[in-house]
Amino acid sequence: MSQHQPTPPPLSRNPISFVGWAITLVMGAILLVLGLIDMLLHQENPYNSLVTYMILPGVLLGGVALIFLGAGLEWRRRHRRDPSAYPLLPVVNLNEGWQRRRVLGAIVLLAVLGSASAVGVYQAYHFTESVTFCGQICHTVMEPEFVAYQHSPHARVACVQCHIGPGAGWFVKSKMSGLRQVVAVATGSYQLPIETPVHNLRPARETCEQCHWPEKFSNSLEKTIWHFSPDRANTPTRYNLLLRIGGGPRSLGLGEGIHWHISPGVEIYYWARDRQRMDIPYVEMRVEGADPVIFRSEDCPDPLPPDAEVRLMDCIDCHNRPSHIYRSPRQLIDFNMATGTLDPSLPYLKRHAAALLEQPWPTTEAALAGIDAALRDQYASYLEGPRGRELVERQIDRLQQLYERNFFPEQGVDWRVYPNHLGHFEFPGCWRCHDDQHRAPSGAVIASDCRKCHEFLDQAEGEAAFGPITYQGGDFRHPRGLDDIWQGRNCTDCHGASAPPAAPLAAAPQPRS
């Protein structure tokens, strides 16, 4: 019979491994409970998921590392004391019963940890891809973007579908960028408001076009726009526009209108002189089957600077706020008066509401309190009766909701901070290029002809705005009797972000009879 060696004490019998065992067992028990709670109750709390799938697993793995670290240090200590019994490296002899038991125990432990880690990594992956993670973990930083996203046309589209898109390449890039952002949030080294546009964003043709196909654009679209004047009656004006959406394949005789810019066979390149892509002095048009044409503004350098980034135009160059939309006071009030959630029967409500939303409040709390106090003071006579009180309080509640969804003074965010290039009413938008100032060597210009993109079908003011659409066509007529004041000007001259805000009326309105 062979003589077996005596069973030595386990290598994990040391203070460091004891701490590791304690951490591993405690974290394992907590993770088991939290994992069961998450699977059974399906909680949506972002911080529960953050702790369950990212923080605690890291602590548990740290405990396992301490167990093995302590065992390694203990082996080295025993080797120094008795090199003959404990050689430089451990010798595994499965003929020894105690070694078989410990190897089997280690295999079982690693199998359990490996299985749990696989589940945890899978859950962590889905959590980091979730809207909850993107919008609520960095709550102070991303609150404006998350709130605006929840009330946008893309509210049911996950953040990663636009910011990352399909494929492993951009997934890895996004996670590497995310680590830098985590460090910035943890150290407080980020800047508010967040700078846009995001210059390392994936090209929109690889993300937006997963749903929106340029080949499918072609038909025109009728759109109704409402405007309410800042007078006593909040006089309404209705505009009916035919938007020439255009696009589609040129092989079928399509490829005209607004989406001509990204039609198959068409490539538009441009150079923006500033980071916000507002100043565009250089445009290059490449159409399949024709020679490239270059348009330059008068102050465009020739040749371009060596570091000039000539960018291929895509969806995001016009639709640059598809999900994180901060609407102006004029947009908010006109839309809500048109839908009836703000009551235009209250005298001068458009003027007072616009002034309150445009006022630079120091905090959201101060803004909500200021809106409440100002409207109660302005319409004090209405508060004397139950119907008038209900009407005024309903307007206060709605204006406060609109403020909370579109204005974030703590982060320095509102509609003026982030230009919206869709259109040309409050920001230059289309007029960045379509200004009659970009010329080709042949003398051709990028025209500012409105009819290339839209046509007026009907316009009505006052009570007639609520009547039937006549489709009489014609040119735009500015409301309030200022029919042609707009000619020779851009809308942004009066309605832009730098235009002076409307002042509230000093005199309180009289109650209705």
Side-chain angles (χ1 to χ4, degrees):
M1 293 181 62
S2 62
Q3 185 177 359
H4 297 281
Q5 297 179 0
T7 303
L11 293 174
S12 60
R13 189 174 294 176
N14 63 82
I16 296 178
S17 294
F18 286 159
V19 173
W21 277 113
I23 293 174
T24 302
L25 293 174
V26 172
M27 290 301 103
I30 295 175
L31 279 172
L32 179 62
V33 173
L34 292 179
L36 290 174
I37 291 175
D38 184 63
M39 288 187 291
L40 296 176
L41 301 182
H42 302 288
Q43 293 184 342
E44 295 295 333
N45 188 309
Y47 299 102
N48 285 350
S49 298
L50 178 67
V51 170
T52 303
Y53 298 115
M54 301 188 72
I55 295 178
L56 292 185
V59 178
L60 185 144
L61 292 177
V64 174
L66 285 176
I67 294 174
F68 285 98
L69 175 63
L73 293 176
E74 177 64 15
W75 179 269
R76 189 174 68 173
R77 186 187 67 81
R78 295 182 186 183
H79 166 74
R80 289 176 177 175
R81 187 181 61 186
D82 188 359
S84 61
Y86 296 92
L88 182 62
L89 295 176
V91 176
V92 178
N93 183 3
L94 297 182
N95 292 314
E96 297 291 340
W98 63 272
Q99 287 207 26
R100 287 198 303 272
R101 290 190 296 271
R102 291 179 186 178
V103 169
L104 180 61
I107 292 174
V108 171
L109 175 62
L110 291 176
V112 172
L113 288 175
S115 301
S117 298
V119 174
V121 168
Y122 177 79
Q123 293 289 352
Y125 163 76
H126 280 285
F127 175 59
T128 58
E129 295 285 284
S130 68
V131 172
T132 301
F133 178 81
C134 297
Q136 293 183 269
I137 292 300
C138 302
H139 190 264
T140 302
V141 182
M142 298 302 297
E143 180 184 9
E145 284 74 17
F146 185 57
V147 172
Y149 157 79
Q150 290 177 300
H151 299 94
S152 78
H154 291 90
R156 293 192 176 185
V157 180
C159 307
V160 295
Q161 290 184 253
C162 296
H163 286 270
I164 300 177
W170 279 92
F171 171 80
V172 174
K173 290 181 181 179
S174 70
K175 297 310 174 187
M176 297 301 294
S177 175
L179 290 176
R180 176 181 55 80
Q181 295 166 7
V182 168
V183 172
V185 172
T187 59
S189 59
Y190 58 88
Q191 292 184 343
L192 292 177
I194 296 174
E195 183 186 23
T196 60
V198 180
H199 286 263
N200 60 349
L201 195 65
R202 187 172 187 176
R205 292 192 171 188
E206 299 177 17
T207 54
C208 303
E209 292 184 13
Q210 297 296 314
C211 299
H212 305 282
W213 301 355
E215 292 87 348
K216 300 301 180 183
F217 301 147
S218 60
N219 293 332
S220 296
L221 173 70
E222 182 178 345
K223 182 176 182 179
T224 302
I225 300 175
W226 288 87
H227 169 75
F228 291 80
S229 298
D231 54 16
R232 179 182 178 85
N234 304 299
T235 303
T237 303
R238 171 180 48 79
Y239 304 97
N240 293 87
L241 288 177
L242 185 68
L243 297 180
R244 303 186 189 281
I245 301 299
R250 299 174 67 245
S251 60
L252 298 180
L254 302 174
E256 300 294 334
I258 299 170
H259 286 107
W260 166 85
H261 299 80
I262 58 169
S263 289
V266 175
E267 290 183 339
I268 305 296
Y269 291 86
Y270 70 91
W271 170 55
R273 196 160 15 207
D274 61 332
R275 288 186 61 81
Q276 283 198 309
R277 299 173 184 160
M278 300 286 286
D279 181 10
I280 301 177
Y282 174 94
V283 178
E284 181 177 348
M285 178 179 67
R286 300 181 186 178
V287 179
E288 187 177 7
D291 295 331
V293 181
I294 295 177
F295 298 86
R296 299 175 185 267
S297 62
E298 291 184 359
D299 60 347
C300 178
D302 188 11
L304 298 180
D307 59 345
E309 178 190 355
V310 179
R311 171 180 164 83
L312 174 62
M313 182 179 180
D314 62 15
C315 317
I316 213 70
D317 290 304
C318 294
H319 299 269
N320 68 313
R321 310 301 304 175
S323 297
H324 308 298
I325 308 170
Y326 308 100
R327 304 192 186 279
S328 70
R330 295 183 182 93
Q331 289 179 315
L332 292 170
I333 297 165
D334 286 343
F335 177 82
N336 280 270
M337 281 190 169
T339 57
T341 49
L342 286 177
D343 196 332
S345 66
L346 272 179
Y348 296 108
L349 180 60
K350 171 67 178 287
R351 180 175 297 187
H352 297 314
L356 288 170
L357 293 181
E358 289 173 348
Q359 184 170 336
W361 300 98
T363 64
T364 300
E365 184 179 0
L368 301 184
I371 292 171
D372 184 279
L375 288 186
R376 288 184 185 277
D377 178 67
Q378 192 66 45
Y379 297 102
S381 57
Y382 283 77
L383 299 175
E384 297 175 0
R387 294 182 62 183
R389 184 184 307 110
E390 180 185 358
L391 174 62
V392 173
E393 290 180 348
R394 192 165 63 245
Q395 311 313 300
I396 292 172
D397 289 342
R398 184 57 179 169
L399 276 179
Q400 289 176 331
Q401 290 176 13
L402 296 177
Y403 187 90
E404 288 184 296
R405 293 178 183 178
N406 293 274
F407 297 83
F408 304 86
E410 290 84 357
Q411 289 88 355
V413 171
D414 63 24
W415 68 285
R416 289 163 288 205
V417 174
Y418 295 120
N420 192 329
H421 301 324
L422 194 62
H424 49 76
F425 187 70
E426 294 170 329
F427 294 99
C430 310
W431 279 325
R432 292 174 297 161
C433 301
H434 290 266
D435 58 356
D436 292 322
Q437 302 299 317
H438 289 71
R439 295 185 177 276
S442 65
V445 299
I446 303 180
S448 61
D449 183 3
C450 302
R451 293 182 183 273
K452 284 183 173 293
C453 296
H454 56 69
E455 180 178 350
F456 277 91
L457 299 176
D458 194 25
Q459 177 176 338
E461 187 172 352
E463 290 298 325
F466 300 105
I469 301 173
T470 60
Y471 296 102
Q472 294 180 350
D475 293 327
F476 169 72
R477 302 187 309 277
H478 196 286
R480 305 177 71 189
L482 305 174
D483 290 356
D484 60 353
I485 192 175
W486 59 275
Q487 293 188 0
R489 305 184 183 186
N490 291 346
C491 305
T492 53
D493 293 343
C494 297
H495 302 283
S498 59
L505 213 63
Q510 297 299 315
R512 293 169 294 178
S513 58

